Amino acid sequence: GERVTPGFPDRQIYHTGSWSGFRNMVVHQPDQDVTVIVLSNNYHRQPEVFLISQQALAEALGRPFPTALLR
């Protein structure tokens, strides 16, 4: 949540994965017991997969919707 803007400071546990053209991410926020899974069929879109995961978490938690990554 701190690598996007607007950010949110919640603790996150995540795991990424990729294989032969796919990029995936599982993100869990233990304090709110919310998990998001993003599956992508485009290996070269890692930043976008991360942003989508943060957008989904913001939606689930009622937070401001992240629109960009901090670099």
Side-chain angles (χ1 to χ4, degrees), residues 3-69:
R3 291 181 44 205
V4 294
T5 183
F8 46 98
D10 302 82
R11 183 171 57 126
Q12 296 181 1
I13 301 168
Y14 66 92
H15 182 70
T16 61
S18 60
W19 180 261
S20 188
F22 297 92
R23 173 86 53 189
N24 310 302
M25 176 171 258
V26 177
V27 181
H28 178 68
Q29 288 199 248
D31 297 333
Q32 293 82 9
D33 196 26
V34 174
T35 301
V36 169
I37 300 170
V38 178
L39 306 173
S40 168
N41 64 350
N42 193 326
Y43 178 81
H44 301 289
R45 297 293 185 180
Q46 186 230 357
E48 289 86 351
V49 169
F50 177 75
L51 180 59
I52 290 167
S53 74
Q54 298 303 291
Q55 291 170 335
L57 283 171
E59 181 74 23
L61 298 170
R63 305 287 174 78
F65 197 73
T67 56
L69 293 172

